[in-house]
Amino acid sequence: MWSKNKRLMIVSGSSNIQLAKELAREAKKPLAKIKIAHFADGEIYVRFNENVRGSDLFIIQSTNTNNNLMELLILIDAAKRASAERITAVIPYYGYARQDRKAKPREPITAKLVANLITTAGAHRILSVDLHCPQIQGFFDIPLDDTWALPLFANYLYDKKMKNLVVVSPDAGGVTRARRLAKILHASMAVIDKRRTDHNVGEVMHILGDVSGKNAIIIDDIIDTGGSIVNATNAVKKQGAKNIFLCATHPVFSKDAILRLVNSVALEIIVTNSIPFQKHKKIKVLSLGKMLGKSILSIHKNESVSLIHKEILKRNLQ
Amino acid sequence: MWSKNKRLMIVSGSSNIQLAKELAREAKKPLAKIKIAHFADGEIYVRFNENVRGSDLFIIQSTNTNNNLMELLILIDAAKRASAERITAVIPYYGYARQDRKAKPREPITAKLVANLITTAGAHRILSVDLHCPQIQGFFDIPLDDTWALPLFANYLYDKKMKNLVVVSPDAGGVTRARRLAKILHASMAVIDKRRTDHNVGEVMHILGDVSGKNAIIIDDIIDTGGSIVNATNAVKKQGAKNIFLCATHPVFSKDAILRLVNSVALEIIVTNSIPFQKHKKIKVLSLGKMLGKSILSIHKNESVSLIHKEILKRNLQ
Amino acid sequence: MWSKNKRLMIVSGSSNIQLAKELAREAKKPLAKIKIAHFADGEIYVRFNENVRGSDLFIIQSTNTNNNLMELLILIDAAKRASAERITAVIPYYGYARQDRKAKPREPITAKLVANLITTAGAHRILSVDLHCPQIQGFFDIPLDDTWALPLFANYLYDKKMKNLVVVSPDAGGVTRARRLAKILHASMAVIDKRRTDHNVGEVMHILGDVSGKNAIIIDDIIDTGGSIVNATNAVKKQGAKNIFLCATHPVFSKDAILRLVNSVALEIIVTNSIPFQKHKKIKVLSLGKMLGKSILSIHKNESVSLIHKEILKRNLQ
Amino acid sequence: MWSKNKRLMIVSGSSNIQLAKELAREAKKPLAKIKIAHFADGEIYVRFNENVRGSDLFIIQSTNTNNNLMELLILIDAAKRASAERITAVIPYYGYARQDRKAKPREPITAKLVANLITTAGAHRILSVDLHCPQIQGFFDIPLDDTWALPLFANYLYDKKMKNLVVVSPDAGGVTRARRLAKILHASMAVIDKRRTDHNVGEVMHILGDVSGKNAIIIDDIIDTGGSIVNATNAVKKQGAKNIFLCATHPVFSKDAILRLVNSVALEIIVTNSIPFQKHKKIKVLSLGKMLGKSILSIHKNESVSLIHKEILKRNLQ
Amino acid sequence: MWSKNKRLMIVSGSSNIQLAKELAREAKKPLAKIKIAHFADGEIYVRFNENVRGSDLFIIQSTNTNNNLMELLILIDAAKRASAERITAVIPYYGYARQDRKAKPREPITAKLVANLITTAGAHRILSVDLHCPQIQGFFDIPLDDTWALPLFANYLYDKKMKNLVVVSPDAGGVTRARRLAKILHASMAVIDKRRTDHNVGEVMHILGDVSGKNAIIIDDIIDTGGSIVNATNAVKKQGAKNIFLCATHPVFSKDAILRLVNSVALEIIVTNSIPFQKHKKIKVLSLGKMLGKSILSIHKNESVSLIHKEILKRNLQ
Amino acid sequence: MWSKNKRLMIVSGSSNIQLAKELAREAKKPLAKIKIAHFADGEIYVRFNENVRGSDLFIIQSTNTNNNLMELLILIDAAKRASAERITAVIPYYGYARQDRKAKPREPITAKLVANLITTAGAHRILSVDLHCPQIQGFFDIPLDDTWALPLFANYLYDKKMKNLVVVSPDAGGVTRARRLAKILHASMAVIDKRRTDHNVGEVMHILGDVSGKNAIIIDDIIDTGGSIVNATNAVKKQGAKNIFLCATHPVFSKDAILRLVNSVALEIIVTNSIPFQKHKKIKVLSLGKMLGKSILSIHKNESVSLIHKEILKRNLQ
């Protein structure tokens, strides 16, 4: 097979070195040597410290800040000019994903802009995790493999052997995601329909579907400030739910999100390590290392990536 | 203003001449002269029968079949080579919109492919109606104005002066759309969660939210064969809904959809004329002519398109 | 050699499965598994049913209808997103080829548009048969191998051991093609110059060159409705030709072309299987399977394609 | 109209200043001030000596040598960077046009390469004269207006009031061109079919169609060394033609072409001034100035260019 | 003229609002209304608060941090999708300009990457100030007007009426810049050739040219940490220079640059306001407002930008 | 490694066949068979005379005339259409490099135009020698390896074992280049600051730095007519320099440059063979063959090119 003839190389940007190490270990490749520094004025400087000519190069970088995004673009540019044969941007957290349409006139579609920037810089393919919206796949014309944290969550929740489960979407936009988890866990579903009151003095949370007396899993893809998911938690509690678990792939955790979450009535918060954050005993971290490491190997060897999800999911859930 | 100096021209493809005439009347411009024919082998031939050099040209064409899509592309190519100054593809129904992501491995993203084809052919901008998914905006890097049929539906339903309204989404993917209508009409909401039974012998429709004794509006963007919306109608009826109205922007109406719809328990089916179909007294057609005609004028004059939605919506609903 | 390291895969669109099977047999590769279906509304759905990552993929599809063209584009998009390493569109019949220039103002150049669409979709190279006009090669900036049916026709006609041959071009545009066959068969040549009469009441066929008492081969690249080639046949007969053979690479055969041809004074109609059609004993079909199968193998192995024409031509004609 | 608001500017490259002056006079615009020079090593230097910002700029340059082509590209680059609003390359003679397909394997398609170079440099549209092959229109994706010298030739020949005319194509490739002139002049047609003799010792000229006792017009688009058209002249003379006229749009006139032509049995050689050459009394030059000047004005004013051909053609020939 | 028909609009990013106000005042246009905000996680949100359709839009933004660069790109994307007719990025300080070549293997060329990003986002033209290297003009294929602060420095220094001037380049790379100022001021020149000592224990500053007893102007384009220019100041002082002035267009002023500069032996530091910084009495700021405001007007009106430099320069220096 | 699987092929354009042979010998590959000819009118014709499908093809061509540049572009087009796998343009002398910025308004940036033309034609990478300006690297978005003649010059000069060396830049623009050589040779430096006299009656040469009694090496990248370097030679001599050596990578040698150089007071002129010229005993030619041959091999094998410079430089100078 062709891929045997290209050197596999994995390099880590500075956004998430811990995860990069884990997936490199899974792929049985040391991280390539690289210098990433900042000049006094904040400009980023990068240089590959080993030859990358002709390599099948994977660059690991979440784009959760403008600095991280720019660093990714510069890494790609350097790799391209240094004659890497194929450049895959491995993006555990794809920033700006929520700006994926014009919700109001004269707004940008920054998620598409970012896709264009990454392509222009010279990436040949993308490996991502739980894109906020699956249509972002179509923002790219280069091949993209989107992997899902769903098997990780399902396995972990299954092991708790809870009965009487309901999966709750905290808003209208997340119903499809909630439904996917509910189906795997054979759980029922609920949706929160949040409305401003008539004189805009407050907000009412209507819960469509039944949560009373049930163990509730509230699932979202991103927890940012944690405000809306904690509000959802309270509403679900008020309706009589028993234990409440919060699930989200991407722990953006802005401002005092961690404090807000761990102080909420939720029993546990379950996230992945797509973005590094301060650990806490009430926050369970499921690592993406194995899934991304396997995906990199499959891409390199021209093997199917979609099979990995099945492999990871426990037999009883398949 | 610059736009005053370009000739506004509107030309109709063969997909929807009636709508084209209506919007041209609204824009106070006759349709430009064009020849569209088919050779004996089915190949499309087009030729502009008047000079289009330097014009601000709007081409009206729904892309609900491959022939219509190809005709649009050929019209754009002809316009480009004939030196039209600016070419706007006005696409009342954007075909292939439901293939907007890879739901399974090794599928295409045809909605993105179509966007690339239209851009490659030479379109400078797009005017669409209720794109299946708002992210399709980001499939284009040329300006796109997506207009909504929502004000038309809201006005029409408001005039019925019904009490005790619930807006129902027939599936998880349509919740956001249903919610938007519910908010305008100050209605409550429900969502249908369809599941296969354990041994796959049948399908169960769970209705999240309360419909019993209410007037229900089931809303979707597209009615294709009508199968799933009629199933939803039955489920809602079974749960005790009073009058049921079906709303959808795009009447694709494949196979015996019309028969199925008019024979259902729904009181009325409300659609737009984005695609022409055989009229029926139980199917109410709200014309897009005024909204698209106004939008064309606004684009031509560099005026805001987003204000048109407000203008059209009845004062009481704003 | 490099190519040994990529998997050769051949997949057939739905335009011409019989030919695809023949060439796959020649290339000693089974056709890859694929699902091609149509939704109720006519939209095409495709999905590769086996892994194509890193493959050297050949997609066989004539583009003789808009549906076939669109299917080809969607297949290419799916292959690109599924990470095929190299995608070759094998197009036995290239539709819209006759719209290769603006004959009148404000016409499209659809043959170029189609080239742009195929390139935009993601094809890396083209393998075609007897392009209507050799300049269409230049409509592409990706490598294109145009193969010729000429050796097949020459071999077949040579075996008839006819004396006193004249090759006739049915119009001014086909003279170069006719001349090429005439040279190989050491035949003389004639050209038909068709003119409207002065008051447009009819058409006169001037035959430049001598056909009287000769065996005539009238050659064209495409037979569409068959009207003009049958008219040419009559004119040639009237001038005293003996046996008349009609040759054309592409049997488009629109409307009642087959009836018209088999009822004409021509002794035999000789075509290839670039497009499937209803067989008839007076119509001889020369298969492209061997030539295309060999070409695919040569492209895959980086061997010369141009040598195949020589190989196929009988020794005595070389 | 929009065009009124842009300044029309016409600038001449150094290939054909005389023609540029004529067409500028027709367009009632002085040629813009420009410096074109060569450095000691032959590199071209250009600089616009007046402001071209926002102008509708026409650059006149035949590309009959590599220097002229490169000069055109540099002029376009300078105009683009100096913010010309629209750049039209007016190319009376398009060089490399005969390399418009791969006649043999591993050849370039230089006519397409040149189209790509001109587009890459930044031209927005093309105005050409009698492209060697009409398909070259499709080598461009920017608008192209191809004008024809045919009306000039037809007018000039018509005024000679000759009877018994035959229009002769010197080879198979030029039959379409010859036929077009024959139709306008109500003349008959002939084609020369040149063949190598069996042992390659010489060449035989078969004339298809009758020339004996007729006034013959041999027409080609380009006269290069003049070898083949003079051979055709001799063959036609030998077959008993009376007066022979040679027509060609583009007087490339390589090597001793002029000598060869004026010493031939042809009565007169009729060409345009698309390329400058040493005048001779036996060579009639029909100027393109009026046609190109009018075309430039029409393009600038967004008026139809195709009407100009009709306007120029004498009433009796229309 | 065409430009009269487009609305001139000027909008300011958040990098340098003070300068934006000054140049808008010069151009007699209020700044357009815009919302620029940051989400909790640091992602940038922008929205134009007035209609920009068809406008000739100038976006003012220095790109001296990754946030500022990203903000510029997002502003351009929003403007493009909101149908601005022409988008000019006005970039007083172009960040990453010093990474304009690969100084070592496997480095990026970030200045080119940035040019590609800006073009991809949708800018139609650039207005810059003293690009670090004039070749960066060629990193763009869209028109770029680079304006110079040189006339501002020359005017200001001329007014000091100093005799016996020497202009010093602090390193080999800045000699051309120093020479340009020296020529205008009729001053002599010197260059500093900095070398590591043999065992790398220190650095020696060789001054080529004579500075003893002279008034020295040390000129650079950027002052970053101030380290090298202050070292140069000391070296020049040591060689007996009288008064020393430091000139630089771009006050990047990283870390404790200001402190270092004002504590140096230099009499005065003269910079522009391309980047905002904490004012200090020893640092003279010459505003770019007038020059950029005039340039914007000239670009808008299609008038020459290059004349502005002459206009600004005092008569005696011309 | 991947590269082992592609055939290495080297082909020479007609600009510098001698150098091509030398580097091919170094790379242990015969030059590939090619036909390069000119038609009577000067148009270039090329054809590869052996199969290049799937090859790793290096095309050697200096672009010191428009003919050579055009030949390179045509060779690339032919190679692309003949399915070469990777095309590297090896350009020992990159013409038009001095037009790398707009020095005055309304000039082109021809060095960038040339980069765009080469990329458009289809080159995948560039191998160059001493680009006039390192920023030209950034004119390309394809990988570019710029090699330096500096090690060759340093080795050669080192072997002369001269004491008391000064390296002189003949103008402000070359100081960086001079400094690099000075550092390697542990020499001091000088710069010539040429000024017009007040009334423009002549030119004064100021020499910054000390040359008196020293052995001077005047270095430039290009010697064109030789005028300015000979003037510099005279100025340096006048200031009392002992032996003077002239160094330049690219011997453009326009007009009577050779005569002027060999008649000057310089002891020796040292150049490379990037451009062929008439040999002369006072002109030492250092061949680029070894360096380019090694570079081609390294690129082909995906090994580091930057190490070659070190390898070539004598141990004592490293």
PDB file of all heavy atoms in Angstrom, chain C residues 188-206:
ATOM      1  N   SER C 188      -9.974   7.197 -51.511  1.00  0.00           N
ATOM      2  CA  SER C 188     -10.116   8.594 -51.922  1.00  0.00           C
ATOM      3  C   SER C 188     -11.156   9.247 -50.996  1.00  0.00           C
ATOM      4  O   SER C 188     -11.683   8.620 -50.096  1.00  0.00           O
ATOM      5  CB  SER C 188     -10.546   8.686 -53.386  1.00  0.00           C
ATOM      6  OG  SER C 188     -11.858   8.166 -53.520  1.00  0.00           O
ATOM      7  N   MET C 189     -11.419  10.526 -51.265  1.00  0.00           N
ATOM      8  CA  MET C 189     -12.252  11.285 -50.333  1.00  0.00           C
ATOM      9  C   MET C 189     -13.338  12.079 -51.038  1.00  0.00           C
ATOM     10  O   MET C 189     -13.189  12.445 -52.202  1.00  0.00           O
ATOM     11  CB  MET C 189     -11.375  12.313 -49.625  1.00  0.00           C
ATOM     12  CG  MET C 189     -11.124  12.035 -48.191  1.00  0.00           C
ATOM     13  SD  MET C 189     -10.242  13.447 -47.553  1.00  0.00           S
ATOM     14  CE  MET C 189     -11.593  14.577 -47.264  1.00  0.00           C
ATOM     15  N   ALA C 190     -14.407  12.362 -50.328  1.00  0.00           N
ATOM     16  CA  ALA C 190     -15.414  13.286 -50.849  1.00  0.00           C
ATOM     17  C   ALA C 190     -16.012  14.067 -49.676  1.00  0.00           C
ATOM     18  O   ALA C 190     -15.955  13.617 -48.530  1.00  0.00           O
ATOM     19  CB  ALA C 190     -16.509  12.527 -51.594  1.00  0.00           C
ATOM     20  N   VAL C 191     -16.545  15.234 -50.013  1.00  0.00           N
ATOM     21  CA  VAL C 191     -17.121  16.104 -48.979  1.00  0.00           C
ATOM     22  C   VAL C 191     -18.477  16.582 -49.476  1.00  0.00           C
ATOM     23  O   VAL C 191     -18.612  16.928 -50.653  1.00  0.00           O
ATOM     24  CB  VAL C 191     -16.243  17.351 -48.750  1.00  0.00           C
ATOM     25  CG1 VAL C 191     -16.827  18.209 -47.635  1.00  0.00           C
ATOM     26  CG2 VAL C 191     -14.817  16.966 -48.470  1.00  0.00           C
ATOM     27  N   ILE C 192     -19.445  16.608 -48.600  1.00  0.00           N
ATOM     28  CA  ILE C 192     -20.753  17.127 -48.996  1.00  0.00           C
ATOM     29  C   ILE C 192     -20.887  18.573 -48.553  1.00  0.00           C
ATOM     30  O   ILE C 192     -20.632  18.906 -47.400  1.00  0.00           O
ATOM     31  CB  ILE C 192     -21.887  16.258 -48.414  1.00  0.00           C
ATOM     32  CG1 ILE C 192     -21.778  14.852 -49.010  1.00  0.00           C
ATOM     33  CG2 ILE C 192     -23.253  16.869 -48.718  1.00  0.00           C
ATOM     34  CD1 ILE C 192     -22.835  13.884 -48.536  1.00  0.00           C
ATOM     35  N   ASP C 193     -21.224  19.423 -49.516  1.00  0.00           N
ATOM     36  CA  ASP C 193     -21.440  20.846 -49.234  1.00  0.00           C
ATOM     37  C   ASP C 193     -22.930  21.115 -49.415  1.00  0.00           C
ATOM     38  O   ASP C 193     -23.415  21.237 -50.526  1.00  0.00           O
ATOM     39  CB  ASP C 193     -20.601  21.678 -50.209  1.00  0.00           C
ATOM     40  CG  ASP C 193     -20.889  23.169 -50.069  1.00  0.00           C
ATOM     41  OD1 ASP C 193     -21.243  23.614 -48.953  1.00  0.00           O
ATOM     42  OD2 ASP C 193     -20.769  23.891 -51.077  1.00  0.00           O
ATOM     43  N   LYS C 194     -23.610  21.198 -48.282  1.00  0.00           N
ATOM     44  CA  LYS C 194     -25.058  21.344 -48.272  1.00  0.00           C
ATOM     45  C   LYS C 194     -25.409  22.827 -48.328  1.00  0.00           C
ATOM     46  O   LYS C 194     -24.866  23.616 -47.552  1.00  0.00           O
ATOM     47  CB  LYS C 194     -25.579  20.719 -46.970  1.00  0.00           C
ATOM     48  CG  LYS C 194     -27.021  20.375 -46.942  1.00  0.00           C
ATOM     49  CD  LYS C 194     -27.340  19.432 -45.748  1.00  0.00           C
ATOM     50  CE  LYS C 194     -26.599  19.818 -44.468  1.00  0.00           C
ATOM     51  NZ  LYS C 194     -26.784  18.809 -43.391  1.00  0.00           N
ATOM     52  N   ARG C 195     -26.286  23.241 -49.223  1.00  0.00           N
ATOM     53  CA  ARG C 195     -26.692  24.648 -49.280  1.00  0.00           C
ATOM     54  C   ARG C 195     -28.203  24.771 -49.375  1.00  0.00           C
ATOM     55  O   ARG C 195     -28.855  23.987 -50.035  1.00  0.00           O
ATOM     56  CB  ARG C 195     -26.100  25.326 -50.538  1.00  0.00           C
ATOM     57  CG  ARG C 195     -24.614  25.374 -50.622  1.00  0.00           C
ATOM     58  CD  ARG C 195     -24.039  26.610 -49.981  1.00  0.00           C
ATOM     59  NE  ARG C 195     -22.588  26.551 -50.130  1.00  0.00           N
ATOM     60  CZ  ARG C 195     -21.921  27.182 -51.097  1.00  0.00           C
ATOM     61  NH1 ARG C 195     -22.565  27.953 -51.965  1.00  0.00           N
ATOM     62  NH2 ARG C 195     -20.620  27.063 -51.182  1.00  0.00           N
ATOM     63  N   ARG C 196     -28.697  25.779 -48.733  1.00  0.00           N
ATOM     64  CA  ARG C 196     -30.108  26.143 -48.932  1.00  0.00           C
ATOM     65  C   ARG C 196     -30.258  26.670 -50.355  1.00  0.00           C
ATOM     66  O   ARG C 196     -29.376  27.347 -50.859  1.00  0.00           O
ATOM     67  CB  ARG C 196     -30.538  27.271 -47.986  1.00  0.00           C
ATOM     68  CG  ARG C 196     -30.453  26.967 -46.535  1.00  0.00           C
ATOM     69  CD  ARG C 196     -31.816  26.974 -45.845  1.00  0.00           C
ATOM     70  NE  ARG C 196     -31.723  26.017 -44.745  1.00  0.00           N
ATOM     71  CZ  ARG C 196     -32.496  24.958 -44.637  1.00  0.00           C
ATOM     72  NH1 ARG C 196     -33.466  24.714 -45.495  1.00  0.00           N
ATOM     73  NH2 ARG C 196     -32.344  24.114 -43.645  1.00  0.00           N
ATOM     74  N   THR C 197     -31.380  26.407 -50.998  1.00  0.00           N
ATOM     75  CA  THR C 197     -31.634  27.012 -52.311  1.00  0.00           C
ATOM     76  C   THR C 197     -31.986  28.477 -52.122  1.00  0.00           C
ATOM     77  O   THR C 197     -32.270  28.936 -51.015  1.00  0.00           O
ATOM     78  CB  THR C 197     -32.796  26.299 -53.027  1.00  0.00           C
ATOM     79  OG1 THR C 197     -33.894  26.287 -52.116  1.00  0.00           O
ATOM     80  CG2 THR C 197     -32.413  24.879 -53.379  1.00  0.00           C
ATOM     81  N   ASP C 198     -32.005  29.182 -53.252  1.00  0.00           N
ATOM     82  CA  ASP C 198     -32.099  30.640 -53.164  1.00  0.00           C
ATOM     83  C   ASP C 198     -33.294  31.143 -52.373  1.00  0.00           C
ATOM     84  O   ASP C 198     -33.178  32.096 -51.601  1.00  0.00           O
ATOM     85  CB  ASP C 198     -32.135  31.240 -54.573  1.00  0.00           C
ATOM     86  CG  ASP C 198     -30.721  31.605 -54.992  1.00  0.00           C
ATOM     87  OD1 ASP C 198     -29.780  31.241 -54.248  1.00  0.00           O
ATOM     88  OD2 ASP C 198     -30.551  32.243 -56.047  1.00  0.00           O
ATOM     89  N   HIS C 199     -34.408  30.541 -52.570  1.00  0.00           N
ATOM     90  CA  HIS C 199     -35.573  31.061 -51.852  1.00  0.00           C
ATOM     91  C   HIS C 199     -35.883  30.198 -50.644  1.00  0.00           C
ATOM     92  O   HIS C 199     -37.001  30.179 -50.163  1.00  0.00           O
ATOM     93  CB  HIS C 199     -36.767  31.175 -52.804  1.00  0.00           C
ATOM     94  CG  HIS C 199     -36.455  32.072 -53.942  1.00  0.00           C
ATOM     95  ND1 HIS C 199     -36.374  33.438 -53.806  1.00  0.00           N
ATOM     96  CD2 HIS C 199     -36.121  31.788 -55.229  1.00  0.00           C
ATOM     97  CE1 HIS C 199     -36.046  33.975 -54.964  1.00  0.00           C
ATOM     98  NE2 HIS C 199     -35.872  32.986 -55.846  1.00  0.00           N
ATOM     99  N   ASN C 200     -34.842  29.475 -50.206  1.00  0.00           N
ATOM    100  CA  ASN C 200     -34.970  28.712 -48.970  1.00  0.00           C
ATOM    101  C   ASN C 200     -36.029  27.630 -49.063  1.00  0.00           C
ATOM    102  O   ASN C 200     -36.533  27.144 -48.061  1.00  0.00           O
ATOM    103  CB  ASN C 200     -35.314  29.654 -47.800  1.00  0.00           C
ATOM    104  CG  ASN C 200     -34.157  29.724 -46.828  1.00  0.00           C
ATOM    105  OD1 ASN C 200     -33.452  28.731 -46.645  1.00  0.00           O
ATOM    106  ND2 ASN C 200     -33.952  30.877 -46.240  1.00  0.00           N
ATOM    107  N   VAL C 201     -36.372  27.267 -50.295  1.00  0.00           N
ATOM    108  CA  VAL C 201     -37.420  26.261 -50.430  1.00  0.00           C
ATOM    109  C   VAL C 201     -36.892  24.849 -50.232  1.00  0.00           C
ATOM    110  O   VAL C 201     -37.638  23.923 -49.990  1.00  0.00           O
ATOM    111  CB  VAL C 201     -38.123  26.340 -51.808  1.00  0.00           C
ATOM    112  CG1 VAL C 201     -38.942  27.615 -51.889  1.00  0.00           C
ATOM    113  CG2 VAL C 201     -37.112  26.262 -52.939  1.00  0.00           C
ATOM    114  N   GLY C 202     -35.591  24.695 -50.328  1.00  0.00           N
ATOM    115  CA  GLY C 202     -35.082  23.342 -50.129  1.00  0.00           C
ATOM    116  C   GLY C 202     -33.591  23.378 -49.920  1.00  0.00           C
ATOM    117  O   GLY C 202     -33.006  24.428 -49.635  1.00  0.00           O
ATOM    118  N   GLU C 203     -32.955  22.250 -50.029  1.00  0.00           N
ATOM    119  CA  GLU C 203     -31.553  22.124 -49.749  1.00  0.00           C
ATOM    120  C   GLU C 203     -30.921  21.352 -50.891  1.00  0.00           C
ATOM    121  O   GLU C 203     -31.455  20.335 -51.336  1.00  0.00           O
ATOM    122  CB  GLU C 203     -31.395  21.319 -48.458  1.00  0.00           C
ATOM    123  CG  GLU C 203     -30.386  21.900 -47.504  1.00  0.00           C
ATOM    124  CD  GLU C 203     -30.422  21.144 -46.203  1.00  0.00           C
ATOM    125  OE1 GLU C 203     -30.691  19.916 -46.219  1.00  0.00           O
ATOM    126  OE2 GLU C 203     -30.173  21.770 -45.164  1.00  0.00           O
ATOM    127  N   VAL C 204     -29.783  21.799 -51.350  1.00  0.00           N
ATOM    128  CA  VAL C 204     -29.066  21.077 -52.399  1.00  0.00           C
ATOM    129  C   VAL C 204     -27.815  20.486 -51.796  1.00  0.00           C
ATOM    130  O   VAL C 204     -27.130  21.135 -50.990  1.00  0.00           O
ATOM    131  CB  VAL C 204     -28.698  22.022 -53.558  1.00  0.00           C
ATOM    132  CG1 VAL C 204     -28.176  21.208 -54.741  1.00  0.00           C
ATOM    133  CG2 VAL C 204     -29.897  22.852 -53.963  1.00  0.00           C
ATOM    134  N   MET C 205     -27.504  19.243 -52.156  1.00  0.00           N
ATOM    135  CA  MET C 205     -26.298  18.586 -51.652  1.00  0.00           C
ATOM    136  C   MET C 205     -25.268  18.519 -52.775  1.00  0.00           C
ATOM    137  O   MET C 205     -25.408  17.699 -53.702  1.00  0.00           O
ATOM    138  CB  MET C 205     -26.630  17.147 -51.214  1.00  0.00           C
ATOM    139  CG  MET C 205     -27.846  16.981 -50.320  1.00  0.00           C
ATOM    140  SD  MET C 205     -27.541  17.449 -48.601  1.00  0.00           S
ATOM    141  CE  MET C 205     -26.946  15.880 -47.964  1.00  0.00           C
ATOM    142  N   HIS C 206     -24.248  19.350 -52.700  1.00  0.00           N
ATOM    143  CA  HIS C 206     -23.140  19.262 -53.643  1.00  0.00           C
ATOM    144  C   HIS C 206     -22.141  18.258 -53.102  1.00  0.00           C
ATOM    145  O   HIS C 206     -21.757  18.351 -51.942  1.00  0.00           O
ATOM    146  CB  HIS C 206     -22.429  20.608 -53.797  1.00  0.00           C
ATOM    147  CG  HIS C 206     -23.332  21.692 -54.271  1.00  0.00           C
ATOM    148  ND1 HIS C 206     -23.791  21.773 -55.562  1.00  0.00           N
ATOM    149  CD2 HIS C 206     -23.865  22.759 -53.629  1.00  0.00           C
ATOM    150  CE1 HIS C 206     -24.566  22.834 -55.691  1.00  0.00           C
ATOM    151  NE2 HIS C 206     -24.645  23.454 -54.533  1.00  0.00           N
TER     152      HIS C 206
END
